[in-house]
Amino acid sequence: MSSDDYRDYADFCFATFGDRVKHWLTLNEPYEFTYYGYGTGEYAPGRCSSYIGNCTSGNSATEPYIVGHHLLLSHAAAVKLYREKYKTALSWLYGCPEGIRALTLYIKDNYGNPPIFITENGVATANNGNVEQSLEDEQRIAYHYEHLTYLLEAIKEGADVKGYFIWSFLDDFEWKFGYTVRFGITYVDYKNGLRRYSKNSAKWFNMFLQGKNASTNWLLGITEREASVLQINPRSTDSSVV
């Protein structure tokens, strides 16, 4: 197995279980199966030099180091993938979609139900320089879908919500983090004349603003695997955020 194979395996695990698993380890006991599997031959696959043990093949002087080298490559590949594709870039940002309902209802009940405008709400991803990968921002779609769903509940319960602004329309320069993170629903290519590309979230939000069923029509175009990561049923007829 190459480091590319391990990266693909890790990618599958992150995508499939990432909605439930928040802490990851890459390799368990690498020394054990490296030394005992390729140095002494006591563990599978039972390889060692003839002067070390009763092995049919192997080289205890070189193979443990070759295995260790590839384990390090595999670990690095998985960590790089996670940081670029799955880890929220700003660790202090914590999504709590049900909180937006609770907060707006609290304002309604305690401050005379004034008009409320949500002037900024969004989620950042790392700026990894990969345009195609950055356009597939299903995490951002799920974030806004969930917040808007709870916001609609608050409106139905009487909160006078007048507006909701996504942060942000374009990738921008953040005060503390500069260009290392991307909040936008539109990708800005800083290295190629500031060319702009609509992310999947921009296409989804466009359908939402047109009054189309943003929870089903757009999602019908994604795979079952992607839908499971978002915890949304792409065959659903739910129109709660229309």
Side-chain angles (χ1 to χ4, degrees):
M1 182 178 74
S2 69
S3 59
D4 290 340
D5 294 325
Y6 185 79
R7 183 191 60 227
D8 292 342
Y9 166 74
D11 191 17
F12 174 82
C13 291
F14 295 150
T16 304
F17 306 112
D19 58 322
R20 286 154 287 169
V21 179
K22 302 305 177 185
H23 303 284
W24 298 86
L25 294 174
T26 52
L27 300 164
N28 181 51
E29 297 185 341
Y31 173 82
E32 292 289 314
F33 60 81
T34 299
Y35 178 74
Y36 292 107
Y38 296 86
T40 67
E42 297 174 65
Y43 292 177
R47 295 179 62 83
C48 67
S49 298
S50 58
Y51 63 86
I52 294 293
N54 185 25
C55 302
T56 58
S57 60
N59 187 328
S60 300
T62 60
E63 290 188 4
Y65 299 97
I66 295 173
V67 172
H69 171 72
H70 285 282
L71 291 178
L72 289 172
L73 292 178
S74 297
H75 166 79
V79 171
K80 183 174 186 291
L81 170 71
Y82 182 78
R83 289 175 175 173
E84 292 181 349
K85 188 174 180 181
Y86 294 98
K87 183 178 180 180
T88 300
L90 302 184
S91 59
W92 53 265
L93 285 177
Y94 178 75
C96 182
E98 61 271 21
I100 201 169
R101 170 184 171 273
L103 178 59
T104 50
L105 289 178
Y106 181 86
I107 294 173
K108 164 186 170 289
D109 295 336
N110 292 275
Y111 294 94
N113 199 21
I116 298 173
F117 293 84
I118 311 297
T119 56
E120 287 188 18
N121 192 35
V123 63
T125 53
N127 180 12
N128 59 20
N130 187 313
V131 178
E132 292 184 1
Q133 190 178 92
S134 297
L135 299 184
E136 298 175 359
D137 60 340
E138 279 66 31
Q139 178 190 23
R140 183 171 287 107
I141 295 171
Y143 179 91
H144 288 294
Y145 174 85
E146 291 168 359
H147 279 79
L148 286 166
T149 297
Y150 279 101
L151 195 60
L152 178 60
E153 289 185 11
I155 292 171
K156 290 179 177 179
E157 294 176 60
D160 190 17
V161 180
K162 297 295 188 182
Y164 176 94
F165 295 84
I166 282 182
W167 186 262
S168 57
F169 173 60
L170 299 169
D171 291 330
D172 65 345
F173 181 88
E174 291 292 318
W175 288 114
K176 183 177 181 180
F177 297 94
Y179 293 114
T180 63
V181 298
R182 293 180 179 272
F183 271 96
I185 60 174
T186 303
Y187 183 93
V188 178
D189 191 342
Y190 303 125
K191 296 181 179 179
N192 292 288
L194 301 180
R195 291 189 64 183
R196 302 172 182 181
Y197 306 88
S198 295
K199 299 179 186 178
N200 285 348
S201 58
K203 300 172 184 177
W204 175 86
F205 197 53
N206 178 51
M207 294 187 68
F208 170 79
L209 293 177
Q210 293 182 59
K212 297 180 180 179
N213 191 331
S215 66
T216 58
N217 289 0
W218 183 86
L219 287 168
L220 284 172
I222 71 174
T223 66
E224 295 286 349
R225 174 180 166 187
E226 291 169 330
S228 67
V229 173
L230 294 178
Q231 294 184 294
I232 298 173
N233 181 0
R235 306 304 176 206
S236 170
T237 56
D238 173 31
S239 57
S240 58
V241 295
V242 169

